Amino acid sequence: MPATVLTASALLLDMDGTLVNSDAVVERCWRRWATDHGLDPEEALKVVHGRQGYATMAVLLPDRPMEENYADNRVMLARETADVDGVVPVGGAPAFMAAIAGLPHTLVTSADSALAAARMGAAALPMPAVRVTAEQVSASKPDPEGFLKGAAELGFAAADCIVFEDSEAGIAAGRAAGMRVVGVGPRAAALAPDAHVDDLTRIRVEAAEDGTIRLHIAEH
C-alpha cells in the first residue's frame, strides 16, 4: 500500500504510549491504587491513559473532593517516577527522534517534568528542548491547552502542526486544538486519527527545502 504523506511545520509529541512504552509501570501503579480504593483495576485501566492522574481520579471517584485527588496525584507521580522497570522505547522511536532532531518539535505530556525525565531517560531517548509538562497547564488532556501551548512555544499556527498520540484523551485534545493527529499503537487504532501506525518504524521523515516536514506514513 502506498504511503500517506502529511506535511507540517512542527510536530507535537505525546510521551507515554507514543515515544515510550511505560504500560508496565502505569498498570502496576494504577492497579494498586484502584485496589486500595475498592475499584475494579481493569475498569480503572480503561481511563488512565493520556490524562493527568488527578483527572483520572476524578473520573473514577466523581464524588471525592478534588483536593484529595491532587494530593493523591502527588503520591502517584512520585511512585511512577521511582519505578522505571520495563520502560522501553516504542518501536522506531530512537530513529524517529534522531530524524526530527533538527526540526521544530516539542513534547506535550501529561507527566510532570521529573516523570518525563525519568521515562525518557530510561528509554534512552533525547529530551526535546521545548516541552510542555503537567506543571505548565491548568487542564489535563482531553483539554487542548497543552497542544496549543506547544504550538505557541514553537511559533506555529495549530493548523500547521501534527500531533502524535496514542490515547483517546490525547487524540481528543489534538483534535480540539485544531491539529491533525497521527495515532500510534493499538489504543489509537479505533479512534479514527488522520493516520495510524502500529509504531514509529512506519514513518519516514523528510525535511523539505522550504522548511516544512514531510511525513511518509506506511499505515499498513
Side-chain angles (χ1 to χ4, degrees), residues 18-198:
T18 302
L19 299 175
V20 173
N21 183 341
S22 56
D23 282 2
V25 179
V26 171
E27 292 190 9
R28 275 196 299 274
C29 291
W30 281 96
R31 282 181 191 280
R32 175 178 168 184
W33 182 89
T35 300
D36 288 347
H37 290 82
L39 301 172
D40 180 349
E42 297 306 319
E43 291 302 310
L45 290 176
K46 292 179 181 179
V47 298
V48 301
H49 296 289
R51 293 180 171 86
Q52 290 190 43
Y54 74 83
T56 294
M57 293 168 187
V59 171
L60 295 170
L61 296 173
D63 297 326
R64 190 165 81 152
M66 189 58 78
E67 292 76 12
E68 292 185 33
N69 295 335
Y70 288 134
D72 234 5
N73 187 46
R74 288 191 287 272
V75 175
M76 178 66 77
L77 283 170
R79 188 176 294 163
E80 288 188 290
T81 301
D83 183 356
V84 293
D85 186 28
V87 173
V88 295
V90 165
F96 176 77
M97 293 301 288
I100 67 170
L103 303 173
H105 68 282
T106 182
L107 192 73
V108 182
T109 176
S110 294
D112 66 4
S113 58
L115 181 56
R119 288 187 175 163
M120 292 291 280
L125 294 175
M127 178 65 80
V130 180
R131 48 197 177 268
V132 179
T133 57
E135 301 96 328
Q136 296 164 266
V137 297
S138 60
S140 171
K141 300 172 186 177
D143 191 281
E145 180 185 359
F147 285 125
L148 292 172
K149 282 197 169 186
E153 286 283 334
L154 293 172
F156 294 105
D160 294 327
C161 297
I162 290 178
V163 165
F164 282 72
E165 265 286 1
D166 72 301
S167 70
E168 183 175 11
I171 290 174
R175 286 191 177 127
M179 301 174 184
R180 289 159 293 157
V181 179
V182 174
V184 180
R187 282 187 289 270
L191 301 172
D194 294 280
H196 175 261
V197 292
D198 295 329

Side-chain angles (χ1 to χ4, degrees), residues 5-6 8 99 103 204-209 211-216:
V5 180
L6 297 178
L103 303 173
R204 181 171 66 84
V205 180
E206 176 189 1
E209 290 184 4
T212 58
I213 303 165
R214 291 169 62 86
L215 301 173
H216 299 260

